[in-house]
Amino acid sequence: MRTCSILFAAAFLSFLAIAAAAQSPMQMPPLPTTDAPDWISFPSVSNSPDFTVSWDASTTPDSGYSLWMDTKQDFSSAQMIYEGGNLSYNCAEFANGTYYFKVRASSKDLYPSFECVGDHALYVDASLPAPPSEPAAPSGLTVPSTSGPAFTVAWNRHAGNVCYQLKQEYMARYPIGYPSPGFPYSSIVSMIYDGSNNSCFISPVDCDDSWYRFRVRAYVMFFGHPVFGSWSDWSAEV
């Protein structure tokens, strides 16, 4: 009698499991995502209504691109101004104002890529003189190879009245066997310094088994607006 009761209970539980599975939506594996462009480039100040926006190529074969523009930083009213296979677009007849740009890649049978958003605004003012040349990427970016909870990042100083921005990529403690630094969608990138010094003191809150890397760019002020240069290469990981 006891054996029959156990068999009945097992059969009943199996029935409940099958019924629950029948009521649950089938979980399909996610489709691969198109590789996103790594960067998008455009002037930060222009005295012309015509300028060029360019971007990095996706590593996904036969990718197309959509370029979006907005006058708001949150892209709440974004307009697609280009769609096609080129890696640049010549913008024309832009009125005076501030603009933001982003691009994404797409390919057949794959999800569209994540957005690559410009890390500065474009200010257009036809009344301005020609803006100065963009400063070169700072050289000599140095970081320690390993460190305790505090360390300094430094780079070579430009001549003249130049300011700098420093970006940090950070990944918190990752277990043994976790993908190496640079694995997509696993780290956090943030701007951590903006000023005239050519060094930055880093004091992480959480440092055990974490890695950091850095890149820097220079800019000069022009009629109250920054003219940004290109970013340096990423440093080695700390």
Side-chain angles (χ1 to χ4, degrees), residues 171-215:
M171 181 184 280
R173 307 172 185 181
Y174 54 92
I176 294 173
Y178 198 85
S180 61
F183 183 74
Y185 322 128
S186 57
S187 59
I188 298 172
V189 178
S190 56
M191 197 85 73
I192 62 168
Y193 176 75
D194 190 329
S196 58
N197 293 332
N198 64 319
S199 65
C200 179
F201 180 71
I202 311 295
S203 182
V205 175
D206 175 19
C207 65
D208 290 345
D209 301 323
S210 305
W211 62 260
Y212 298 78
R213 65 177 185 166
F214 304 87
R215 69 192 315 186

Side-chain angles (χ1 to χ4, degrees), residues 27-192:
Q27 298 297 316
M28 299 297 291
L31 289 174
T33 301
T34 307
D35 174 66
D38 288 335
W39 51 263
I40 179 171
S41 176
F42 49 89
S44 46
V45 178
S46 176
N47 66 338
S48 169
D50 305 334
F51 52 89
T52 299
V53 180
S54 57
W55 51 88
D56 179 44
S58 169
T59 60
T60 304
D62 302 320
S63 290
Y65 305 93
S66 56
L67 175 65
W68 299 77
M69 178 275 295
D70 203 340
T71 57
K72 301 176 182 178
Q73 191 171 8
D74 62 2
F75 290 95
S76 57
S77 304
Q79 304 174 37
M80 185 171 67
I81 59 174
Y82 171 77
E83 186 173 29
N86 294 335
L87 296 177
S88 64
Y89 178 67
N90 296 322
C91 300
E93 299 182 1
F94 270 58
N96 288 354
T98 302
Y99 301 91
Y100 301 87
F101 298 91
K102 63 181 181 180
V103 65
R104 71 190 312 171
S106 60
S107 54
K108 186 178 179 182
D109 299 328
L110 298 178
Y111 284 129
S113 74
F114 292 91
E115 294 171 340
C116 178
V117 181
D119 54 18
H120 63 264
L122 164 61
Y123 180 72
V124 177
D125 187 343
S127 69
L128 293 176
S133 299
E134 298 175 353
S139 61
L141 180 61
T142 57
V143 298
S145 57
T146 59
S147 175
F151 56 91
T152 297
V153 177
W155 53 90
N156 293 333
R157 185 187 295 277
H158 284 313
N161 189 17
V162 180
C163 293
Y164 306 92
Q165 289 185 335
L166 184 68
K167 254 186 188 178
Q168 168 188 278
E169 183 178 13
Y170 160 71
M171 181 184 280
R173 307 172 185 181
Y174 54 92
I176 294 173
Y178 198 85
S180 61
F183 183 74
Y185 322 128
S186 57
S187 59
I188 298 172
V189 178
S190 56
M191 197 85 73
I192 62 168

Side-chain angles (χ1 to χ4, degrees), residues 214-226:
F214 304 87
R215 69 192 315 186
V216 64
R217 69 176 173 184
Y219 69 91
V220 294
M221 296 304 296
F222 177 69
F223 287 87
H225 299 282

